[in-house]
Every structure is written in C-alpha cells, then in structure tokens.
Amino acid sequence: MKLIINHSSMQPIYEQISGQIKELILHGELNEEEMLPSVRSLAKELRVSALTVKKSYDTLEQEGFIVTVHGKGSFVACAGQEILLEEKRREVETDLELAIRKGRSCGMSNQEIADLFHIILEE
C-alpha cells in the first residue's frame, strides 16, 4: 500500500494515514474484506510509531471503513454504498459551500448565485 507521509504538514500523521486509506477505499482501490497491512508492518514501512498507525486504524474503524478482528488483522469493511454515498455527499456539500462563499466574496447576491446554479444544472 503506497501512502505518503508529509512530516512538515500541520495535519497529524495518524490523520494523513487514515485519510489516505479512506480515499483508497472510496475510490475502489481497496476492496471489501481486503486485509490491510498489520499495524507493525505499516508502521515499519512508513517509519512511524505503531501507536500512530493503531490510532489511524481505530479512527477508520470508528467511521465504519474497516473492521479489526482480534488475532487476524484489519479488513476493509463491507460498509457498502451507504457510507460511501454519505462521504461523497459531504464532499459535494463542502464544495457547494465554498462556491457560495466565493460568489459572495465577489459581491454576488443569493439570487445571482441561485440563478448561476440553475444554469449550470441545465447544462
């Protein structure tokens, strides 16, 4: 599994790891029931603490992306489409909020933003 850790980033390393694994799952690069590397092996590969990787896996498990079976390892959850769709909806919502803020910062009224939104929807 190819993960990139940016040690100069303000984002904690465990969030970088869990975020990248989540993206791999969301984009279908990690499939349901696929086994993830062990905490120790991923920590060694990334040259980070095993506790950091454990925290990443715990976060992913709390969010429903992976399941850990004691003595067997961590696996991509059969979370299916609901979690994936909800994650995508949150991304769309965030993008729309950003677009609205940009429009307002340019002096656009709510009506102008809504009109533009409807024009784009029709295309």
Side-chain angles (χ1 to χ4, degrees), residues 104-123:
R104 286 182 178 155
S105 73
C106 295
M108 293 176 73
S109 69
N110 286 348
Q111 188 60 51
E112 289 172 317
I113 293 169
D115 290 344
L116 181 58
F117 180 76
H118 288 290
I119 290 168
I120 292 170
L121 271 178
E122 292 172 6
E123 291 180 355

Side-chain angles (χ1 to χ4, degrees), residues 21-34:
I21 292 173
K22 188 187 303 184
E23 286 299 311
L24 291 171
I25 293 170
L26 289 172
H27 291 101
E29 295 176 46
L30 287 175
N31 300 310
E32 291 180 4
E33 299 182 10
E34 187 171 335

